[in-house]
Amino acid sequence: MIGTLLLLILCGMLGCTLGKDKESKGKFSTPVLDVSEQQLVLEANQTLRLKCRGRWELLWALPSGVTKENQTLRVDESRCGKRETQHCSTLVLSHAKARHTGSFRCRYRHKQQKQAAVYVYVRDSQRPFVRVQKESPELMFLKEGEPLIFPCKVTWPDAVVSLIKWQAPIQTLIPDQKNIIWNSRQGFIIRSPSIVHTGLFSCEIKVNGVKHLQHYITHRPVNEILEVYLNSTRPVQTLQGGRLALNCTVTAPLNSRVTISWSYPGTANITKRIMPGKSQIMFYSILSISHLRKSDRGAYTCHVRNGPVHRETNTTVIVYDEPFLRLKHRQGSVLHASAGQKYYRLTPKLRAFPPAEVIWLKDGMVAAEKCSRYHAEGSSLVIRDVAEEDAGVYTVLTGIQQFGLYRNITYSLVVNVRPQIGEKAVSVQDPGTVQRGSRQALRCTTYGVPPPKIQWFWHPCPPKRNTPAPLA
């Protein structure tokens, strides 16, 4: 009895499952259009009317040339069927244009993979191509392992279109439906393009004796980056409210498809430029900020990508609240140098923004004008071939005139001179033999900085040795 009950319960469960599967795979499991053809051909300015029916709520996917804001487009939703359990949607497109050519698809809102579609051609003898030709040829890139598609789709299915390659010798590529395929809904498809498919191409069609063309330039991308640099790789210092302009320049071979992007802390304007040359292309990306704020402080990185190749360069932007000038001694105010040194550098601690003007004085006179051996390098003063006369008082004057900021400090430079004995430089006669017990005066004249100390030492003469008598 219990077994029979369990069997009935299981059968009931299986029956429900089978019922649900049958329902999901039954009528209207996919929306249904009121047209049986896979394609429709309308004349320009005719009205397109499509009705779609389904079990659940519906929506339409339209060709790119048809926008929902189009005033000639209307979509009416309603419930339909004997018991109004079904959903119906009617699409009406009045005054159809060539640009409306494409696939019209009716989908379930919650199951968009379930759809019914019809391709609609809107024939227009004045506009045989769906897409409008731009002023310059459309740029297309050959990618390894991918087909090359010239998107010159047309507004009627039996249009006769030619694909022309303009590089000498000019030739018309004939579709063989193997490597070169013509499809009125896509255009010309080259399944396995090679280097011979680079250059200027055109899709051509003649209507009533009038020739219509769409031009394309194809390039084979080169994945190489030759050089990347910023106009400022050192930290950029500026004041709040000032302007910033960073230029990222990239050099790459011809046929390169370089993309440049930035990462930065605040907000900025980006402008781009390309300058082709004979053998290379220069890509420019300029980041600019017209009014800097504290939030703009930080790292600015230029990212460059050419296919799989990636490079980057960066700099740091420092934004100061206000100008400043700080000046102090680095190793005290009294300095020592030695006569004969090849060079000696006086370097104070200077921090300023904007950069300060620096002037060095020697004993109250401009140092560079006083001696040709004095040379200013940044905030330092370099003395070449140091001599005794370089000793004195040095003053460094700094100032930012624009903001009325001035600072100065003074150094005392002592030039040490090696001790010298004057008598060593003068030829002195040997005093010879002097009488025992007599009084003699010896003089030692010295000079040096600081003054040298003098010490006398007596070195007694070595005793005479007895000379052995000669042998007889």
Side-chain angles (χ1 to χ4, degrees), residues 124-397:
D124 187 342
S125 59
Q126 301 298 318
R127 182 177 165 178
F129 293 112
V130 177
R131 301 174 66 176
V132 177
Q133 175 66 60
K134 300 178 181 179
E135 292 183 4
S136 56
E138 185 174 346
L139 185 61
M140 303 176 63
F141 292 90
L142 276 73
K143 296 183 180 179
E144 187 175 352
E146 296 183 14
L148 175 64
I149 301 176
F150 296 95
C152 49
K153 54 187 179 181
V154 291
T155 59
W156 64 88
D158 54 351
V160 178
V161 184
S162 301
L163 179 62
I164 301 171
K165 182 180 179 183
W166 291 102
Q167 285 179 307
I170 298 173
Q171 57 180 313
T172 300
L173 303 184
I174 307 299
D176 56 10
Q177 300 307 116
K178 292 181 180 179
N179 187 46
I180 302 176
I181 300 168
W182 163 249
N183 186 319
S184 62
R185 301 183 185 185
Q186 291 181 278
F188 281 99
I189 304 167
I190 300 178
R191 297 178 63 183
S192 301
S194 63
I195 192 67
V196 300
H197 297 113
T198 57
L200 178 63
F201 289 79
S202 294
C203 291
E204 179 184 288
I205 185 172
K206 290 183 179 179
V207 182
N208 300 327
V210 179
K211 186 183 296 184
H212 299 265
L213 295 168
Q214 284 201 334
H215 304 293
Y216 303 90
I217 291 181
T218 59
H219 283 285
R220 189 175 188 177
V222 178
N223 298 325
E224 186 179 358
I225 299 172
L226 301 177
E227 189 176 9
V228 178
Y229 59 91
L230 283 175
N231 58 332
S232 178
T233 53
R234 300 180 63 184
V236 178
Q237 303 180 73
T238 184
L239 288 173
Q240 188 171 241
R243 294 176 57 86
L244 175 69
L246 295 176
N247 185 0
C248 184
T249 304
V250 180
T251 307
L254 294 175
N255 296 339
S256 296
R257 190 179 185 182
V258 170
T259 59
I260 305 175
S261 61
W262 292 84
S263 57
Y264 48 94
T267 57
N269 293 320
I270 309 292
T271 56
K272 297 180 180 180
R273 244 177 354 114
I274 300 176
M275 290 187 64
K278 292 183 178 179
S279 60
Q280 298 175 343
I281 305 179
M282 302 287 285
F283 298 84
Y284 300 93
S285 181
I286 303 169
L287 180 149
S288 60
I289 301 175
S290 59
H291 190 86
L292 284 163
R293 303 176 182 177
K294 290 183 180 179
S295 58
D296 295 315
R297 299 172 180 170
Y300 286 69
T301 305
C302 173
H303 306 274
V304 181
R305 187 172 294 279
N306 188 7
V309 180
H310 175 260
R311 289 177 62 181
E312 63 182 40
T313 182
N314 61 71
T315 188
T316 301
V317 174
I318 303 169
V319 182
Y320 295 113
D321 296 337
E322 57 186 16
F324 62 90
L325 176 58
R326 304 186 187 104
L327 179 68
K328 61 181 181 179
H329 297 99
R330 187 176 293 274
Q331 294 176 333
S333 60
V334 179
L335 303 175
H336 291 265
S338 298
Q341 279 185 245
K342 287 187 176 181
Y343 69 90
Y344 186 82
R345 184 185 297 268
L346 289 83
T347 305
K349 283 186 176 180
L350 173 63
R351 289 197 67 226
F353 191 81
E357 183 181 0
V358 179
I359 299 175
W360 280 92
L361 304 179
K362 164 72 163 61
D363 298 328
M365 297 178 59
V366 177
E369 296 178 359
K370 186 166 184 172
C371 180
S372 61
R373 295 183 293 105
Y374 299 161
H375 178 65
E377 291 184 0
S379 60
S380 301
L381 179 69
V382 177
I383 302 174
R384 303 187 187 279
D385 300 321
V386 179
E388 183 180 357
E389 60 265 25
D390 296 327
V393 177
Y394 291 82
T395 303
V396 56
L397 308 177

Side-chain angles (χ1 to χ4, degrees), residues 40-54:
L40 297 175
V41 180
L42 300 179
E43 295 297 330
N45 293 317
Q46 282 188 329
T47 298
L48 172 66
R49 187 183 302 272
L50 296 173
K51 186 173 182 178
C52 183
R53 176 178 293 194

